[in-house]
Coordinates of all heavy atoms in Angstrom, one line a residue:
M913 N 0.8 -1.2 0.0 CA 0.0 0.0 0.0 C 0.9 1.3 0.0 O 1.9 1.3 0.7 CB -0.8 0.0 1.3 CG -2.3 0.2 1.3 SD -3.3 -0.2 -0.1 CE -4.4 -1.3 0.7
M914 N 0.5 2.2 -0.8 CA 1.3 3.4 -0.9 C 0.3 4.6 -0.6 O -0.7 4.7 -1.3 CB 1.9 3.6 -2.2 CG 2.6 5.0 -2.4 SD 3.2 5.3 -4.1 CE 4.4 4.0 -4.3
S915 N 0.6 5.4 0.4 CA -0.3 6.6 0.7 C 0.0 7.7 -0.3 O 1.2 8.1 -0.5 CB -0.1 7.0 2.1 OG -0.8 8.2 2.4
I916 N -1.0 8.2 -0.9 CA -0.9 9.4 -1.9 C -1.1 10.7 -1.2 O -0.4 11.6 -1.3 CB -1.8 9.2 -3.1 CG1 -1.5 7.9 -3.8 CG2 -1.7 10.4 -4.0 CD1 -0.1 7.8 -4.4
D917 N -2.2 10.7 -0.4 CA -2.5 11.9 0.5 C -3.4 11.4 1.6 O -3.4 10.2 1.9 CB -3.1 13.0 -0.4 CG -4.4 12.7 -1.0 OD1 -5.1 11.7 -0.5 OD2 -4.8 13.3 -2.0
D918 N -4.0 12.4 2.3 CA -4.9 12.0 3.4 C -6.1 11.2 3.0 O -6.8 10.6 3.9 CB -5.3 13.3 4.2 CG -4.2 14.0 4.9 OD1 -3.1 13.4 5.0 OD2 -4.4 15.2 5.2
N919 N -6.4 11.1 1.8 CA -7.7 10.4 1.3 C -7.5 9.3 0.4 O -8.4 8.5 0.3 CB -8.5 11.5 0.6 CG -9.0 12.6 1.4 OD1 -9.4 12.4 2.6 ND2 -8.8 13.8 1.0
I920 N -6.3 9.1 -0.2 CA -6.1 8.1 -1.3 C -4.9 7.3 -1.0 O -3.8 7.9 -0.6 CB -6.0 8.8 -2.6 CG1 -7.3 9.7 -2.9 CG2 -5.8 7.8 -3.8 CD1 -7.1 10.7 -4.0
E921 N -5.0 6.0 -1.3 CA -3.8 5.2 -1.3 C -3.9 4.2 -2.5 O -4.9 4.0 -3.1 CB -3.7 4.4 0.0 CG -4.9 3.5 0.3 CD -4.8 2.9 1.7 OE1 -3.9 3.3 2.5 OE2 -5.6 2.1 2.0
I922 N -2.7 3.7 -2.9 CA -2.6 2.8 -4.1 C -2.3 1.4 -3.5 O -1.3 1.3 -2.7 CB -1.5 3.3 -5.0 CG1 -1.8 4.7 -5.5 CG2 -1.4 2.3 -6.2 CD1 -3.0 4.9 -6.4
D923 N -3.0 0.4 -4.0 CA -2.7 -0.9 -3.5 C -1.7 -1.6 -4.4 O -1.2 -1.0 -5.4 CB -4.0 -1.8 -3.3 CG -4.6 -2.2 -4.6 OD1 -4.1 -2.0 -5.7 OD2 -5.8 -2.8 -4.5
D924 N -1.4 -2.9 -4.1 CA -0.4 -3.6 -4.9 C -0.7 -3.8 -6.4 O 0.1 -4.1 -7.2 CB 0.0 -4.9 -4.2 CG 0.6 -4.7 -2.8 OD1 1.1 -3.6 -2.6 OD2 0.5 -5.7 -2.0
T925 N -2.0 -3.8 -6.7 CA -2.5 -4.0 -8.1 C -2.4 -2.7 -8.9 O -2.7 -2.7 -10.1 CB -3.9 -4.5 -8.1 OG1 -4.8 -3.5 -7.7 CG2 -4.0 -5.8 -7.3
G926 N -2.2 -1.5 -8.2 CA -2.3 -0.2 -8.8 C -3.6 0.5 -8.7 O -3.7 1.6 -9.2
A927 N -4.6 -0.2 -8.1 CA -5.9 0.5 -7.9 C -5.8 1.5 -6.8 O -5.0 1.4 -5.9 CB -6.9 -0.6 -7.5
S928 N -6.5 2.6 -7.0 CA -6.6 3.7 -6.0 C -7.8 3.4 -5.1 O -8.9 3.0 -5.5 CB -6.7 5.0 -6.7 OG -7.8 5.1 -7.5
L929 N -7.6 3.6 -3.8 CA -8.6 3.3 -2.8 C -8.8 4.5 -1.9 O -7.9 5.3 -1.6 CB -8.1 2.1 -1.9 CG -7.7 0.8 -2.6 CD1 -7.1 -0.1 -1.6 CD2 -8.9 0.2 -3.3
C930 N -10.0 4.6 -1.4 CA -10.4 5.6 -0.4 C -9.8 5.1 1.0 O -10.2 4.0 1.4 CB -11.9 5.8 -0.3 SG -12.5 6.9 1.0
V931 N -9.1 5.9 1.7 CA -8.5 5.5 3.0 C -9.6 5.5 4.1 O -9.4 4.8 5.1 CB -7.4 6.4 3.4 CG1 -6.2 6.3 2.4 CG2 -7.8 7.8 3.7
H932 N -10.7 6.1 3.8 CA -11.8 6.2 4.8 C -12.7 5.0 4.8 O -13.3 4.6 5.9 CB -12.6 7.5 4.6 CG -11.7 8.7 4.6 ND1 -11.2 9.3 5.7 CD2 -11.3 9.5 3.5 CE1 -10.4 10.3 5.3 NE2 -10.5 10.4 4.0
C933 N -12.9 4.3 3.6 CA -13.8 3.2 3.6 C -13.2 2.0 2.8 O -13.9 1.0 2.6 CB -15.1 3.6 2.9 SG -15.0 4.0 1.2
D934 N -12.0 2.1 2.2 CA -11.4 1.1 1.4 C -12.1 0.9 0.1 O -11.8 -0.1 -0.6 CB -11.2 -0.2 2.2 CG -10.3 -0.1 3.3 OD1 -9.3 0.7 3.2 OD2 -10.4 -0.8 4.3
G935 N -13.0 1.8 -0.3 CA -13.7 1.6 -1.6 C -12.7 1.9 -2.8 O -11.8 2.8 -2.6
V936 N -12.9 1.3 -3.9 CA -12.1 1.5 -5.0 C -12.5 2.7 -5.7 O -13.7 2.9 -6.1 CB -12.2 0.2 -6.0 CG1 -11.4 0.5 -7.3 CG2 -11.7 -1.0 -5.3
L937 N -11.5 3.6 -6.0 CA -11.8 4.9 -6.7 C -11.4 4.8 -8.2 O -11.9 5.5 -9.0 CB -11.0 6.0 -6.1 CG -11.2 6.2 -4.6 CD1 -10.3 7.2 -4.0 CD2 -12.7 6.7 -4.3
G938 N -10.4 3.9 -8.5 CA -10.0 3.7 -9.8 C -9.2 2.4 -9.9 O -8.5 2.0 -9.0
A939 N -9.4 1.7 -11.0 CA -8.8 0.3 -11.1 C -7.3 0.5 -11.5 O -6.5 -0.5 -11.3 CB -9.5 -0.5 -12.2
S940 N -6.9 1.6 -11.9 CA -5.5 1.8 -12.4 C -4.9 3.1 -11.9 O -5.7 4.1 -11.8 CB -5.5 1.8 -13.9 OG -4.3 2.3 -14.4
S941 N -3.7 3.2 -11.6 CA -3.1 4.4 -11.1 C -3.0 5.4 -12.2 O -2.8 6.6 -12.0 CB -1.7 4.2 -10.6 OG -0.8 3.6 -11.6
T942 N -3.3 5.0 -13.5 CA -3.3 6.0 -14.6 C -4.6 6.8 -14.6 O -4.7 7.9 -15.2 CB -3.1 5.3 -16.0 OG1 -4.1 4.4 -16.2 CG2 -1.7 4.7 -16.1
D943 N -5.6 6.3 -13.9 CA -6.9 7.0 -13.8 C -7.4 6.8 -12.4 O -8.5 6.2 -12.2 CB -7.9 6.6 -14.9 CG -9.2 7.5 -14.9 OD1 -9.2 8.5 -14.3 OD2 -10.1 7.1 -15.7
P944 N -6.7 7.4 -11.4 CA -7.1 7.1 -10.0 C -8.4 7.7 -9.6 O -9.0 7.2 -8.6 CB -6.0 7.8 -9.2 CG -5.5 8.9 -10.2 CD -5.6 8.3 -11.5
F945 N -9.0 8.6 -10.3 CA -10.4 9.1 -10.0 C -11.4 8.6 -11.0 O -12.5 9.2 -11.1 CB -10.3 10.6 -10.0 CG -9.8 11.2 -8.8 CD1 -9.3 10.5 -7.7 CD2 -9.8 12.6 -8.6 CE1 -8.8 11.0 -6.6 CE2 -9.3 13.2 -7.4 CZ -8.8 12.4 -6.4
E946 N -11.2 7.5 -11.6 CA -12.2 6.9 -12.6 C -13.6 6.8 -12.1 O -14.5 7.1 -12.8 CB -11.7 5.5 -12.9 CG -12.6 4.7 -13.8 CD -12.1 3.3 -13.9 OE1 -11.1 2.9 -13.3 OE2 -12.8 2.5 -14.7
K947 N -13.8 6.4 -10.8 CA -15.2 6.2 -10.3 C -15.7 7.2 -9.3 O -16.8 7.1 -8.8 CB -15.2 4.8 -9.6 CG -14.8 3.7 -10.5 CD -14.9 2.4 -9.8 CE -14.5 1.3 -10.8 NZ -14.6 -0.1 -10.3
V948 N -14.9 8.3 -9.1 CA -15.4 9.3 -8.2 C -16.6 10.1 -8.7 O -16.9 10.1 -9.9 CB -14.3 10.4 -7.8 CG1 -13.0 9.6 -7.2 CG2 -14.0 11.2 -9.0
I949 N -17.4 10.7 -7.7 CA -18.5 11.5 -8.1 C -17.9 12.9 -8.2 O -17.3 13.4 -7.3 CB -19.6 11.5 -7.0 CG1 -20.1 10.0 -6.9 CG2 -20.7 12.4 -7.3 CD1 -21.0 9.8 -5.6
R950 N -18.2 13.5 -9.3 CA -17.7 14.9 -9.6 C -18.8 15.9 -9.5 O -19.9 15.7 -10.0 CB -17.0 15.0 -11.0 CG -15.8 14.0 -11.0 CD -15.2 14.0 -12.4 NE -14.2 13.0 -12.6 CZ -12.9 13.2 -12.4 NH1 -12.5 14.3 -11.9 NH2 -12.1 12.2 -12.5
R951 N -18.5 17.1 -9.0 CA -19.5 18.1 -8.9 C -18.8 19.4 -9.3 O -17.6 19.7 -8.9 CB -20.0 18.3 -7.5 CG -21.0 19.4 -7.2 CD -21.4 19.4 -5.8 NE -22.4 20.5 -5.6 CZ -22.6 21.1 -4.5 NH1 -21.9 20.8 -3.4 NH2 -23.5 22.0 -4.4
E952 N -19.4 20.2 -10.1 CA -18.9 21.5 -10.6 C -19.9 22.6 -10.5 O -21.1 22.3 -10.9 CB -18.4 21.4 -12.0 CG -17.8 22.7 -12.5 CD -17.2 22.5 -13.9 OE1 -16.4 21.6 -14.1 OE2 -17.5 23.3 -14.8
R953 N -19.6 23.7 -10.0 CA -20.5 24.8 -9.8 C -19.8 26.1 -9.8 O -18.6 26.1 -9.5 CB -21.4 24.6 -8.6 CG -20.6 24.6 -7.3 CD -21.5 24.2 -6.1 NE -20.7 23.7 -5.0 CZ -20.1 24.4 -4.2 NH1 -20.1 25.7 -4.3 NH2 -19.4 23.9 -3.2
P954 N -20.5 27.2 -10.0 CA -19.8 28.6 -10.0 C -19.3 28.9 -8.6 O -19.9 28.5 -7.6 CB -20.8 29.5 -10.4 CG -21.9 28.7 -11.1 CD -21.8 27.4 -10.5
S955 N -18.1 29.5 -8.5 CA -17.5 29.9 -7.3 C -18.3 31.0 -6.7 O -18.8 31.9 -7.5 CB -16.1 30.3 -7.5 OG -15.5 30.9 -6.3
T956 N -18.5 31.1 -5.4 CA -19.1 32.2 -4.7 C -18.2 32.7 -3.6 O -17.3 32.0 -3.1 CB -20.5 31.8 -4.1 OG1 -20.2 30.8 -3.1 CG2 -21.4 31.1 -5.2
P957 N -18.5 33.9 -3.1 CA -17.6 34.4 -1.9 C -17.8 33.5 -0.7 O -16.9 33.6 0.2 CB -18.2 35.8 -1.7 CG -18.8 36.2 -3.0 CD -19.3 34.9 -3.6
A958 N -18.7 32.6 -0.6 CA -18.8 31.7 0.5 C -17.8 30.5 0.5 O -17.7 29.8 1.5 CB -20.2 31.1 0.6
E959 N -17.1 30.3 -0.6 CA -16.2 29.2 -0.7 C -14.9 29.5 0.2 O -14.6 30.6 0.4 CB -15.7 29.0 -2.1 CG -16.8 28.8 -3.1 CD -17.5 27.5 -2.9 OE1 -17.0 26.6 -2.2 OE2 -18.7 27.5 -3.3
P960 N -14.3 28.4 0.7 CA -13.1 28.6 1.5 C -12.0 29.4 0.6 O -11.8 29.0 -0.5 CB -12.6 27.2 1.8 CG -13.8 26.4 1.6 CD -14.7 27.0 0.6
G961 N -11.5 30.4 1.1 CA -10.4 31.1 0.4 C -11.0 32.1 -0.6 O -10.2 32.8 -1.3
V962 N -12.3 32.2 -0.8 CA -12.9 33.2 -1.7 C -13.6 34.2 -0.9 O -14.6 34.0 -0.3 CB -13.8 32.5 -2.7 CG1 -14.4 33.5 -3.7 CG2 -13.1 31.4 -3.5
H963 N -13.1 35.5 -1.0 CA -13.6 36.5 -0.2 C -14.3 37.6 -1.0 O -14.8 38.6 -0.4 CB -12.5 37.2 0.7 CG -11.8 36.1 1.5 ND1 -12.4 35.6 2.6 CD2 -10.6 35.6 1.4 CE1 -11.6 34.7 3.2 NE2 -10.5 34.7 2.5
A964 N -14.3 37.5 -2.3 CA -15.0 38.5 -3.2 C -15.5 37.8 -4.4 O -15.1 36.7 -4.7 CB -14.0 39.6 -3.5
L965 N -16.4 38.5 -5.1 CA -16.8 37.9 -6.4 C -15.7 37.8 -7.4 O -15.0 38.8 -7.6 CB -18.0 38.8 -6.9 CG -19.3 38.7 -6.2 CD1 -20.2 39.8 -6.8 CD2 -19.9 37.3 -6.4
P966 N -15.5 36.6 -8.0 CA -14.5 36.5 -9.0 C -14.6 37.5 -10.1 O -13.6 37.9 -10.7 CB -14.6 35.1 -9.5 CG -15.3 34.3 -8.4 CD -16.2 35.4 -7.8
S967 N -15.8 37.9 -10.4 CA -16.0 38.9 -11.5 C -15.4 40.3 -11.2 O -15.2 41.1 -12.2 CB -17.5 39.1 -11.8 OG -18.2 39.6 -10.6
H968 N -15.0 40.5 -10.0 CA -14.2 41.8 -9.7 C -12.8 41.7 -10.2 O -12.2 42.7 -10.3 CB -14.2 42.0 -8.2 CG -15.5 42.3 -7.6 ND1 -15.7 42.4 -6.2 CD2 -16.7 42.5 -8.1 CE1 -17.0 42.7 -6.0 NE2 -17.6 42.8 -7.1
F969 N -12.3 40.5 -10.5 CA -10.9 40.3 -11.0 C -10.7 39.7 -12.3 O -9.6 39.8 -12.9 CB -10.2 39.4 -9.9 CG -10.4 39.9 -8.5 CD1 -11.4 39.4 -7.7 CD2 -9.6 41.0 -8.1 CE1 -11.5 39.8 -6.4 CE2 -9.8 41.5 -6.7 CZ -10.8 40.9 -5.9
T970 N -11.8 39.1 -12.9 CA -11.6 38.4 -14.2 C -12.9 38.3 -14.9 O -13.9 38.3 -14.3 CB -11.0 37.0 -14.0 OG1 -10.8 36.4 -15.2 CG2 -11.9 36.1 -13.1
D971 N -12.8 38.3 -16.2 CA -14.0 38.0 -17.0 C -14.3 36.6 -17.3 O -15.3 36.2 -17.8 CB -13.8 38.7 -18.4 CG -13.8 40.2 -18.3 OD1 -14.4 40.8 -17.4 OD2 -13.1 40.9 -19.2
R972 N -13.3 35.7 -16.8 CA -13.5 34.3 -17.0 C -14.4 33.7 -15.9 O -14.3 34.2 -14.8 CB -12.1 33.6 -16.9 CG -11.2 34.0 -18.0 CD -9.8 33.5 -17.8 NE -9.7 32.1 -18.1 CZ -8.6 31.4 -17.9 NH1 -7.6 31.9 -17.4 NH2 -8.6 30.1 -18.2
P973 N -15.2 32.7 -16.2 CA -16.0 32.1 -15.1 C -15.1 31.3 -14.2 O -14.2 30.6 -14.7 CB -17.0 31.2 -15.9 CG -16.2 30.9 -17.2 CD -15.4 32.1 -17.5
I974 N -15.3 31.4 -12.9 CA -14.5 30.7 -12.0 C -15.4 29.6 -11.3 O -16.5 29.9 -10.9 CB -13.9 31.6 -10.9 CG1 -13.1 32.7 -11.5 CG2 -13.1 30.9 -9.8 CD1 -11.9 32.3 -12.3
M975 N -14.9 28.4 -11.4 CA -15.7 27.3 -10.9 C -15.1 26.5 -9.8 O -13.8 26.5 -9.6 CB -15.8 26.3 -12.1 CG -16.4 26.9 -13.4 SD -18.1 27.5 -13.2 CE -19.0 26.1 -13.0
V976 N -15.9 25.9 -9.0 CA -15.5 25.0 -7.9 C -15.7 23.6 -8.4 O -16.8 23.3 -8.8 CB -16.3 25.2 -6.6 CG1 -15.9 24.2 -5.6 CG2 -16.1 26.6 -6.1
R977 N -14.7 22.8 -8.4 CA -14.8 21.4 -8.8 C -14.4 20.5 -7.6 O -13.4 20.8 -7.0 CB -13.8 21.1 -10.0 CG -14.2 21.9 -11.2 CD -13.2 21.7 -12.4 NE -13.7 22.3 -13.6 CZ -12.9 22.7 -14.6 NH1 -11.6 22.4 -14.5 NH2 -13.3 23.3 -15.6
Q978 N -15.3 19.6 -7.3 CA -15.1 18.7 -6.2 C -15.2 17.3 -6.7 O -15.9 16.9 -7.6 CB -16.1 19.0 -5.2 CG -16.0 20.4 -4.5 CD -17.2 20.7 -3.7 OE1 -18.4 20.6 -4.1 NE2 -16.9 21.1 -2.4
A979 N -14.4 16.4 -6.0 CA -14.5 14.9 -6.3 C -14.7 14.2 -5.0 O -14.1 14.5 -4.0 CB -13.2 14.5 -6.9
F980 N -15.8 13.4 -5.0 CA -16.2 12.6 -3.8 C -16.0 11.2 -4.0 O -16.2 10.6 -5.0 CB -17.7 12.9 -3.5 CG -18.0 14.4 -3.2 CD1 -18.3 15.2 -4.2 CD2 -18.0 14.9 -1.9 CE1 -18.6 16.6 -4.0 CE2 -18.3 16.2 -1.7 CZ -18.6 17.0 -2.7
C981 N -15.8 10.5 -2.8 CA -15.7 9.0 -2.9 C -17.1 8.5 -3.2 O -18.1 8.9 -2.5 CB -15.3 8.5 -1.5 SG -15.5 6.7 -1.4
P982 N -17.3 7.6 -4.1 CA -18.6 7.1 -4.5 C -19.2 6.1 -3.5 O -20.4 5.8 -3.5 CB -18.4 6.4 -5.8 CG -17.0 5.9 -5.8 CD -16.3 7.0 -5.0
H983 N -18.4 5.8 -2.5 CA -18.8 4.8 -1.5 C -19.2 5.5 -0.2 O -20.2 5.1 0.4 CB -17.7 3.7 -1.2 CG -17.2 3.1 -2.5 ND1 -17.9 2.2 -3.2 CD2 -16.1 3.4 -3.2 CE1 -17.2 1.9 -4.3 NE2 -16.1 2.6 -4.3
C984 N -18.4 6.4 0.3 CA -18.7 7.0 1.6 C -18.9 8.5 1.5 O -19.2 9.2 2.5 CB -17.5 6.7 2.6 SG -16.0 7.6 2.2
L985 N -18.8 9.1 0.3 CA -19.1 10.5 0.0 C -18.1 11.4 0.6 O -18.4 12.6 0.7 CB -20.5 10.8 0.3 CG -21.6 10.0 -0.4 CD1 -23.0 10.4 0.0 CD2 -21.4 10.1 -1.9
T986 N -17.0 11.0 1.1 CA -15.9 11.9 1.6 C -15.4 12.8 0.4 O -15.2 12.3 -0.7 CB -14.8 11.1 2.1 OG1 -15.2 10.3 3.3 CG2 -13.6 12.0 2.6
L987 N -15.2 14.1 0.7 CA -14.6 15.0 -0.2 C -13.2 14.6 -0.4 O -12.4 14.7 0.6 CB -14.8 16.4 0.2 CG -14.2 17.5 -0.7 CD1 -14.8 17.5 -2.1 CD2 -14.3 18.9 -0.1
L988 N -12.8 14.2 -1.6 CA -11.4 13.7 -1.8 C -10.5 14.9 -2.4 O -9.3 14.9 -2.1 CB -11.4 12.6 -2.8 CG -12.2 11.4 -2.4 CD1 -12.3 10.4 -3.6 CD2 -11.6 10.7 -1.2
A989 N -11.1 15.7 -3.2 CA -10.3 16.8 -3.8 C -11.2 17.9 -4.2 O -12.4 17.7 -4.5 CB -9.6 16.2 -5.0
M990 N -10.6 19.1 -4.2 CA -11.4 20.3 -4.5 C -10.4 21.3 -5.2 O -9.3 21.4 -4.8 CB -12.0 21.0 -3.2 CG -12.7 22.2 -3.5 SD -13.5 22.8 -2.0 CE -13.7 24.5 -2.3
E991 N -10.9 22.0 -6.2 CA -10.1 23.0 -6.9 C -11.0 24.2 -7.3 O -12.2 24.0 -7.5 CB -9.4 22.4 -8.0 CG -10.2 21.9 -9.1 CD -9.4 21.3 -10.3 OE1 -8.2 21.1 -10.2 OE2 -10.1 21.0 -11.3
I992 N -10.5 25.3 -7.3 CA -11.2 26.5 -7.8 C -10.4 27.0 -8.9 O -9.2 27.4 -8.8 CB -11.3 27.6 -6.7 CG1 -12.1 27.0 -5.5 CG2 -11.9 28.9 -7.2 CD1 -12.1 28.0 -4.3
V993 N -11.0 26.9 -10.1 CA -10.2 27.1 -11.4 C -11.1 27.9 -12.4 O -12.3 27.9 -12.3 CB -9.8 25.8 -12.0 CG1 -8.8 25.1 -11.1 CG2 -11.0 24.9 -12.3
P994 N -10.5 28.5 -13.4 CA -11.3 29.0 -14.5 C -12.1 27.9 -15.2 O -11.6 26.9 -15.5 CB -10.2 29.6 -15.5 CG -9.0 29.8 -14.6 CD -9.0 28.7 -13.6
G995 N -13.4 28.2 -15.4 CA -14.3 27.2 -15.9 C -14.1 26.9 -17.3 O -14.5 25.9 -17.8
D996 N -13.3 27.7 -18.1 CA -13.0 27.4 -19.5 C -11.8 26.4 -19.6 O -11.4 26.1 -20.7 CB -12.8 28.6 -20.3 CG -11.8 29.6 -19.7 OD1 -11.2 29.3 -18.7 OD2 -11.7 30.7 -20.3
E997 N -11.2 26.0 -18.4 CA -10.1 25.0 -18.5 C -10.8 23.7 -18.8 O -11.9 23.4 -18.3 CB -9.3 24.9 -17.2 CG -8.4 26.0 -17.1 CD -7.4 25.9 -15.9 OE1 -7.5 24.8 -15.3 OE2 -6.6 26.7 -15.7
P998 N -10.2 22.8 -19.6 CA -11.0 21.6 -20.1 C -11.4 20.6 -19.1 O -12.4 19.9 -19.3 CB -10.0 21.0 -21.1 CG -8.6 21.5 -20.7 CD -8.9 22.9 -20.1
G999 N -10.7 20.4 -18.0 CA -11.1 19.4 -17.0 C -10.4 19.5 -15.7 O -9.6 20.5 -15.5
Y1000 N -10.6 18.6 -14.9 CA -9.9 18.6 -13.6 C -8.4 18.5 -13.8 O -8.0 17.8 -14.7 CB -10.4 17.4 -12.8 CG -11.7 17.5 -12.1 CD1 -12.8 17.3 -12.8 CD2 -11.7 17.7 -10.8 CE1 -14.1 17.4 -12.2 CE2 -13.0 17.8 -10.1 CZ -14.1 17.6 -10.8 OH -15.3 17.8 -10.2
R1001 N -7.7 19.3 -13.0 CA -6.3 19.0 -12.9 C -6.2 17.7 -12.2 O -7.1 17.3 -11.5 CB -5.6 20.1 -12.1 CG -5.8 21.4 -12.8 CD -5.2 22.5 -12.0 NE -5.4 23.8 -12.7 CZ -5.3 25.0 -12.2 NH1 -5.0 25.1 -10.9 NH2 -5.5 26.0 -12.9
H1002 N -5.2 16.9 -12.4 CA -5.0 15.6 -11.9 C -3.6 15.3 -11.6 O -2.7 15.9 -12.1 CB -5.7 14.6 -12.8 CG -5.0 14.4 -14.0 ND1 -5.2 15.2 -15.1 CD2 -4.0 13.5 -14.5 CE1 -4.4 14.9 -16.1 NE2 -3.7 13.8 -15.8
W1003 N -3.4 14.2 -10.9 CA -2.0 13.7 -10.7 C -2.0 12.2 -11.3 O -3.1 11.6 -11.5 CB -1.7 13.7 -9.2 CG -2.7 13.1 -8.3 CD1 -3.6 13.7 -7.6 CD2 -2.9 11.7 -8.0 NE1 -4.3 12.8 -6.8 CE2 -3.9 11.6 -7.1 CE3 -2.2 10.5 -8.5 CZ2 -4.4 10.3 -6.7 CZ3 -2.7 9.3 -8.0 CH2 -3.7 9.2 -7.1
R1004 N -0.9 11.7 -11.5 CA -0.7 10.4 -11.9 C 0.5 9.8 -11.3 O 1.5 10.5 -11.0 CB -0.7 10.2 -13.4 CG 0.6 10.8 -14.0 CD 0.6 10.6 -15.5 NE 1.9 11.0 -16.0 CZ 2.1 11.7 -17.1 NH1 1.0 12.0 -17.9 NH2 3.2 12.0 -17.5
L1005 N 0.6 8.5 -11.1 CA 1.7 7.8 -10.5 C 2.4 7.0 -11.5 O 1.8 6.2 -12.2 CB 1.2 7.0 -9.4 CG 2.2 6.3 -8.6 CD1 3.1 7.3 -7.8 CD2 1.6 5.3 -7.6
E1006 N 3.7 7.2 -11.7 CA 4.5 6.4 -12.6 C 5.5 5.6 -11.8 O 6.2 6.2 -10.9 CB 5.2 7.3 -13.7 CG 4.2 8.0 -14.6 CD 4.9 8.9 -15.6 OE1 6.1 8.8 -15.7 OE2 4.2 9.6 -16.3
V1007 N 5.5 4.3 -12.0 CA 6.4 3.5 -11.3 C 7.9 3.9 -11.5 O 8.3 4.2 -12.6 CB 6.3 2.0 -11.7 CG1 7.3 1.1 -11.0 CG2 4.9 1.5 -11.4
G1008 N 8.6 4.1 -10.4 CA 10.0 4.5 -10.5 C 10.2 6.0 -10.5 O 11.3 6.4 -10.6
T1009 N 9.1 6.7 -10.4 CA 9.3 8.2 -10.4 C 8.4 8.8 -9.3 O 7.7 8.0 -8.6 CB 8.8 8.8 -11.7 OG1 7.4 8.6 -11.9 CG2 9.5 8.3 -12.9
S1010 N 8.5 10.1 -9.1 CA 7.7 10.7 -8.1 C 6.4 11.0 -8.6 O 6.1 10.9 -9.8 CB 8.5 12.0 -7.6 OG 8.6 12.9 -8.7
I1011 N 5.5 11.5 -7.7 CA 4.2 11.9 -8.1 C 4.2 13.1 -9.0 O 4.9 14.1 -8.7 CB 3.3 12.2 -6.8 CG1 3.2 11.0 -6.0 CG2 2.0 12.8 -7.2 CD1 2.5 11.2 -4.7
Q1012 N 3.5 13.1 -10.1 CA 3.4 14.2 -11.1 C 2.1 15.0 -10.8 O 1.1 14.3 -10.9 CB 3.5 13.7 -12.5 CG 4.6 12.7 -12.8 CD 5.9 13.4 -12.8 OE1 6.1 14.4 -13.4 NE2 6.9 12.8 -12.1
R1013 N 2.2 16.2 -10.7 CA 0.9 17.0 -10.5 C 0.7 17.9 -11.7 O 1.6 18.3 -12.4 CB 1.0 17.9 -9.2 CG 0.9 17.0 -8.0 CD 0.9 17.9 -6.8 NE 1.1 17.0 -5.6 CZ 0.1 16.6 -4.9 NH1 -1.1 16.9 -5.1 NH2 0.3 15.8 -3.8
Ligands
ZN760 ZN1 -14.8 6.3 0.8

């Protein structure tokens, strides 16, 4: 077992698991969030670290993207990013190298 962060670990087969419930998040380390529940919505000043309307600083839509464990619904990852970016930022694990973000 290899710990990736406070929420995710990789087992000997390369599958990613939720550390809170041992549920499988992805069958392969190349797509560790394959089975997560994703939620995306516009950022608001009520978000952690957001104290003003994003429109005061940019014309781009700013979105909150969250990934939840499909088994226990723990929030696994969250990002606040421009909504016109194509998808979630992600990490991948390559054998023999460090974690790539
Ligand atoms: Zn879980």
Side-chain angles (χ1 to χ4, degrees):
M913 226 33 116
M914 175 187 296
S915 177
I916 300 300
D917 61 23
D918 291 343
N919 298 313
I920 303 163
E921 57 190 10
I922 303 292
D923 72 8
D924 294 340
T925 69
S928 57
L929 307 173
C930 171
V931 301
H932 307 286
C933 71
D934 292 330
V936 175
L937 303 173
S940 163
S941 60
T942 59
D943 191 5
F945 278 4
E946 173 188 2
K947 298 180 180 184
V948 301
I949 298 169
R950 298 175 189 271
R951 179 179 182 208
E952 180 175 311
R953 59 190 160 79
S955 173
T956 67
E959 304 297 337
V962 179
H963 304 287
L965 286 171
S967 61
H968 291 174
F969 307 99
T970 180
D971 292 333
R972 298 170 76 186
I974 302 299
M975 305 299 288
V976 175
R977 294 176 178 160
Q978 296 171 306
F980 297 89
C981 172
H983 310 284
C984 70
L985 302 179
T986 296
L987 177 61
L988 302 170
M990 176 175 158
E991 62 183 10
I992 299 175
V993 296
D996 52 3
E997 286 192 0
Y1000 280 79
R1001 296 174 183 166
H1002 66 278
W1003 51 261
R1004 69 176 188 223
L1005 183 66
E1006 294 179 7
V1007 176
T1009 63
S1010 60
I1011 295 173
Q1012 309 291 312
R1013 291 183 189 263

